[in-house]
């Protein structure tokens, strides 16, 4: 007998698109919540995994998480590396647990690389011998990250173009693959078909670019109004430094880039965060191209609302999610 597939609703959208508002409207206490108590969220955000990074990553509040359970938030220390492989494993575990309790797993977030890997599976890249990994770590210590990035540019420019020059983990990983195999990371093709153990319904939310950028700018302003500077100050006082994985997040790394001394004017930092967030939003869709069966829905602002964050759920989106939920867990 074939093993029953686990149904999973997947909701992807770039930062500030309204993913969190949509999930609470559908599965929390929102006006469209025909499914309250029927689902739990698996966060697909590469930075919300880190404890202490609350305001800058726009985490749902503790109160919101009590209303609608979330998984894979606050599970790692900011000084620890959290990889896509870690995400897929933990998301698998969470999906199985949620479904075993008669609820619908909902994977929601904006880290397209994580979501794509969960939907299609991880590419079969080789693990390096221990001596290669150790040698690269030693080179990083002696030569510095800029030199390592230069090495990657020389042997695998395609990968280097996709990796942030401050992302030590991914730079070293790409170099590990090259030194182990003599081939660039892109040689190891990503999978193109959905994983067979799941029954996926994949939603991609789309917003008009100018409106999205306005929302991003407004969100960054709200973060500063909500105490982002104090949060960064607290993280630094706790011992976190610019080289730690959690501090590579947009909204945090910019404070280090400007040599922030905890006293200086932060207007330049604020504008840099807005710029980096807008740039990142444009890139987020790249990883969602060609996902089999994915459906794109255009999200528009709510007419007649004074709340700039409000939006109208398209009738087609609401109906399609309701049908999927009813079919798989009898919402």
């Amino acid at each position: 007998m074939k093993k029953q597939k686990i149904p999973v609703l997947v909701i992807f959208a770039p930062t500030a698109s309204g993913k969190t508002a949509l999930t609470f409207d559908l599965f929390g206490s929102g006006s469209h919540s025909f499914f309250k108590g029927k689902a739990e969220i698996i966060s697909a955000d590469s930075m919300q995994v880190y404890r202490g990074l609350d305001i800058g990553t726009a985490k749902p509040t503790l109160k919101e998480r009590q209303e609608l359970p979330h998984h894979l938030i606050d599970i790692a220390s900011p000084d620890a590396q959290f990889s896509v492989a870690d995400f897929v494993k933990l998301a698998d575990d969470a999906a199985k647990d949620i479904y075993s309790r008669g609820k619908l797993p909902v994977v929601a977030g904006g880290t397209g690389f994580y979501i794509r890997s969960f939907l299609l599976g991880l590419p079969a890249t080789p693990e390096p011998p221990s001596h290669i990994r150790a040698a690269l770590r030693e080179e990083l210590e002696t030569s510095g990250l800029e030199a390592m990035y230069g090495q990657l540019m020389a042997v695998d420019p395609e990968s280097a173009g996709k990796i942030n020059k401050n992302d030590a983990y991914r730079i070293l990983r790409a170099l590990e693959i090259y030194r182990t195999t003599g081939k660039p990371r892109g040689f190891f093709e990503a999978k193109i078909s959905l994983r067979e153990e799941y029954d996926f319904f994949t939603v991609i939310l789309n917003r008009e670019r100018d409106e999205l950028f306005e929302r991003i700018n407004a969100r960054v302003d709200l973060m500063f109004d909500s105490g982002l500077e104090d949060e960064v100050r607290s993280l630094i006082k706790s011992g976190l430094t610019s080289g730690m994985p959690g501090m590579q997040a947009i909204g945090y790394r910019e404070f280090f880039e400007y040599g922030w001394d905890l006293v200086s004017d932060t207007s330049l930092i604020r504008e840099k965060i807005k710029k980096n967030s807008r740039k990142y939003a444009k890139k987020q869709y790249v990883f969602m191209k060609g996902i089999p069966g994915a459906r794109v829905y255009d999200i528009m602002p709510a007419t007649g609302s004074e709340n700039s964050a409000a939006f109208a759920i398209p009738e087609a989106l609401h109906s399609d999610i309701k049908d999927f939920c009813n079919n798989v867990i009898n919402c």
Side-chain angles (χ1 to χ4, degrees):
M1 294 181 62
K2 289 185 177 181
K3 189 175 181 180
Q4 184 177 8
K5 292 185 176 184
I6 297 175
V8 179
L9 172 62
V10 177
I11 301 175
F12 165 83
T15 183
S17 290
K19 297 180 298 294
T20 301
L22 175 64
T23 56
F24 277 92
D25 200 25
L26 291 173
F27 303 108
S29 298
S31 58
H32 294 86
S33 186
F34 296 104
F35 319 120
K36 185 177 181 181
K38 298 289 187 177
E40 295 184 13
I41 308 300
I42 301 172
S43 171
D45 187 300
S46 62
M47 292 302 166
Q48 288 187 356
V49 300
Y50 291 117
R51 292 184 288 272
L53 279 65
D54 300 329
I55 298 172
T57 63
K59 286 178 187 172
T61 66
L62 291 176
K63 182 179 180 181
E64 288 173 328
R65 283 182 261 168
Q66 289 173 349
E67 175 188 335
L68 177 59
H70 281 62
H71 301 258
L72 307 196
I73 291 179
D74 291 340
I75 60 172
S77 171
D79 61 353
Q81 186 64 54
F82 187 87
S83 70
V84 64
D86 294 326
F87 170 77
V88 172
K89 180 184 182 304
L90 293 175
D92 282 341
D93 292 343
K96 294 172 184 175
D97 172 60
I98 294 167
Y99 186 57
S100 73
R101 292 183 279 106
K103 296 186 178 183
L104 176 66
V106 179
V107 175
T111 304
F113 183 44
Y114 279 16
I115 291 180
R116 187 179 188 89
S117 298
F118 180 73
L119 288 166
L120 305 180
L122 295 164
T125 52
E127 284 299 311
S130 58
H131 70 276
I132 288 180
R133 177 165 286 175
L136 283 167
R137 299 302 184 276
E138 185 175 345
E139 288 181 43
L140 175 62
E141 291 293 325
T142 57
S143 302
L145 186 56
E146 185 176 353
M148 304 305 290
Y149 187 73
Q151 284 190 38
L152 184 59
M153 282 289 294
V155 300
D156 186 1
E158 181 181 358
S159 292
K162 298 177 181 178
I163 298 174
N164 186 289
K165 64 181 180 180
N166 296 315
D167 192 336
Y169 173 81
R170 289 177 175 81
I171 291 170
L172 293 185
R173 178 61 181 141
L175 286 171
E176 287 174 355
I177 293 171
Y178 181 79
R179 291 197 184 180
T180 300
T181 66
K183 297 179 175 63
R185 187 180 60 171
F187 175 84
F188 301 92
E189 295 183 358
K191 298 179 180 180
I192 59 174
S193 58
L194 296 173
R195 298 167 71 194
E196 294 183 354
E197 60 265 44
Y198 291 104
D199 177 13
F200 290 117
F201 182 80
T202 304
V203 169
I204 298 176
L205 304 181
N206 182 57
R207 281 189 180 272
E208 194 275 328
R209 179 170 291 188
D210 288 344
E211 186 218 350
L212 177 61
F213 286 177
E214 289 179 6
R215 289 173 61 89
I216 288 172
N217 293 339
R219 171 178 279 189
V220 174
D221 288 335
L222 179 60
M223 288 176 176
F224 274 84
D225 293 343
S226 300
L228 179 59
E229 293 178 52
D230 289 336
E231 181 172 90
V232 175
R233 182 180 290 110
S234 177
L235 291 168
I236 292 174
K237 286 184 177 180
S238 72
L240 298 184
T241 61
S242 61
M244 294 178 177
M247 295 296 96
Q248 299 302 310
I250 296 172
Y252 297 90
R253 70 182 189 224
E254 292 82 3
F255 285 88
F256 296 99
E257 290 173 0
Y258 278 90
W260 189 49
D261 61 3
L262 305 180
V263 178
S264 62
D265 174 52
T266 56
S267 59
L268 289 177
I269 297 175
R270 183 188 298 231
E271 293 308 309
K272 183 70 171 185
I273 293 173
K274 291 179 180 179
K275 180 179 178 181
N276 287 342
S277 297
R278 295 192 300 266
K279 185 177 180 181
Y280 178 57
K282 290 189 289 187
K283 290 183 177 180
Q284 284 175 288
Y285 282 111
V286 172
F287 289 103
M288 296 303 292
K289 288 183 177 179
I291 296 294
R295 303 187 189 185
V296 179
Y297 299 85
D298 292 326
I299 303 296
M300 302 296 292
T303 57
S305 173
E306 296 181 358
N307 180 6
S308 62
F311 62 93
I313 298 177
E315 182 58 35
L317 171 58
H318 183 263
S319 177
D320 290 345
I321 290 179
K322 186 175 183 180
D323 286 346
F324 177 73
C325 188
N326 279 327
N327 287 335
V328 296
I329 65 166
N330 191 25
C331 291

